[in-house]
Amino acid sequence: MALSAGNPRATRLPGDVVARMERFGRFEFDPAATGIDATDVWGELQEPFLPFAESDPGGFARELANAVLPAGGFALFGAARTMWNLIGSDFDDPAYRSVRTAALEFFRANGVPAGRLPTDDWLFWRKNHSEPWLAGSPPPAPGEARITPLAPGELRRVAQITEMPDSNVVHVGTADDGRFVAVVDAPASDTDPTRSRFVWMSADTLHALYTGIGEAFQTPVHWAAEELRPFIPLPPSRF
């Protein structure tokens, strides 16, 4: 539903504003999957809106909300992030809150885990909602879980995050103090492919460690060992 009617400032938004917000929303959510050149994002999807946003933040928010709320989908997220970018992180306006909430409800309805949300959006959700983000399956009880004990010195591969050759890989092993540890094998950085390992988390039992890994993943990764899969609480998200 529109938040205002008959406002002549609506003409200050381009006719393809919903399409631009949809593209920007997809880029903000998963840049690598969009195929959009990051160098074009500002000039094509953000800068054209800057004069309106700077001269009349409230009017810009209302007109943008009027455009994207009926459309739904990624346009909601694109519009919410556009207001955040162009007006400021401290902007507080009913139109902005409506769009931001609708964007988060869109992700929630499509099973997107909280870990894939921007931190500020996750904090906004927690501040304004008491219900859980998503309700997943509980992990198997210790007596029901089928976990093969680790052999002395074993470092067991249990997950690969993506299908890419340079994907992070998760192993489990035993530390010198006897605790069980999850060890991530990953490139040093986006520009340095040299791989290194670091301890990600630890627990007193393998069951507790698998529970922690599953809670961190939330949804299935590219590959997970059969004994780890029951600990991942949610089905795949739609995105």
Side-chain angles (χ1 to χ4, degrees), residues 24 33 35 40 52-53 65 74 82 91 103 111 115 118 147 159 161 170 178 182 211 216 221 225:
F24 185 61
D40 296 334
F52 191 0
F74 276 98
T82 294
F91 181 60
I147 303 176
I161 308 305
V170 180
T211 298
V221 295

Side-chain angles (χ1 to χ4, degrees), residues 105-125:
E105 290 286 9
F106 165 68
F107 285 143
R108 186 169 178 243
N110 284 280
V112 174
R116 296 188 68 187
L117 302 176
T119 300
D120 54 280
D121 282 328
W122 175 234
L123 294 176
F124 173 82
W125 175 269

Side-chain angles (χ1 to χ4, degrees), residues 1 17 19 27 50-51 54 59 78 90 116 118 128 145 164 174 176 204-205 211-212 217 231:
M1 180 180 294
V17 60
F27 177 83
L50 187 58
E54 288 184 334
D90 58 348
R116 296 188 68 187
N128 293 283
M164 301 301 292
T174 308
D176 292 340
D204 291 331
T205 66
T211 298
F217 285 169
F231 291 85

Side-chain angles (χ1 to χ4, degrees), residues 147-151 154-158 170-172 206 210 227:
I147 303 176
T148 304
L150 288 170
E154 179 184 1
L155 191 63
R156 181 180 302 164
R157 182 174 179 266
V158 295
V170 180
H171 301 79
V172 295
L206 263 180
Y210 277 30
E227 63 185 24

Side-chain angles (χ1 to χ4, degrees), residues 20-21 23-24 27-28 36-51 53-54 81-82 84-87:
R20 293 197 203 190
M21 291 299 102
R23 290 185 67 213
F24 185 61
F27 177 83
E28 284 284 282
I36 299 174
D37 188 338
T39 60
D40 296 334
V41 169
W42 173 252
E44 294 183 12
L45 304 179
Q46 294 290 274
E47 188 177 26
F49 301 99
L50 187 58
E54 288 184 334
R81 299 311 293 177
T82 294
W84 170 276
N85 289 341
L86 302 186
I87 302 176

Side-chain angles (χ1 to χ4, degrees), residues 8-221:
R9 280 195 297 268
T11 59
R12 296 170 66 179
L13 293 177
D16 64 346
V17 60
V18 172
R20 293 197 203 190
M21 291 299 102
E22 195 269 344
R23 290 185 67 213
F24 185 61
R26 289 185 180 276
F27 177 83
E28 284 284 282
F29 181 71
D30 189 355
T34 62
I36 299 174
D37 188 338
T39 60
D40 296 334
V41 169
W42 173 252
E44 294 183 12
L45 304 179
Q46 294 290 274
E47 188 177 26
F49 301 99
L50 187 58
F52 191 0
E54 288 184 334
S55 64
D56 184 3
F60 174 73
R62 287 191 298 274
E63 298 305 336
L64 192 54
N66 288 346
V68 300
L69 284 171
F74 276 98
L76 296 167
F77 187 56
R81 299 311 293 177
T82 294
M83 294 183 211
W84 170 276
N85 289 341
L86 302 186
I87 302 176
S89 60
D90 58 348
F91 181 60
D92 187 25
D93 179 273
Y96 175 47
R97 291 195 299 271
S98 295
V99 172
R100 196 176 192 184
T101 298
L104 292 172
E105 290 286 9
F106 165 68
F107 285 143
R108 186 169 178 243
N110 284 280
V112 174
R116 296 188 68 187
L117 302 176
T119 300
D120 54 280
D121 282 328
W122 175 234
L123 294 176
F124 173 82
W125 175 269
R126 292 185 62 184
K127 179 180 178 181
N128 293 283
H129 298 81
S130 58
E131 67 270 28
W133 176 252
L134 295 173
S137 302
E144 299 172 349
R146 297 182 177 181
I147 303 176
T148 304
L150 288 170
E154 179 184 1
L155 191 63
R156 181 180 302 164
R157 182 174 179 266
V158 295
Q160 179 175 322
I161 308 305
T162 73
E163 73 279 5
M164 301 301 292
D166 62 348
S167 169
N168 289 5
V169 177
V170 180
H171 301 79
V172 295
T174 308
D176 292 340
D177 61 2
R179 286 173 60 82
F180 295 93
V181 293
V183 178
V184 176
D185 182 297
S189 69
D190 291 340
T191 57
D192 182 358
T194 305
R195 299 187 73 87
S196 60
R197 291 177 175 175
F198 62 90
V199 174
W200 178 31
M201 63 177 71
S202 63
D204 291 331
T205 66
L206 263 180
H207 180 276
L209 185 63
Y210 277 30
T211 298
I213 294 172
E215 289 176 349
F217 285 169
Q218 288 289 293
T219 56
V221 295

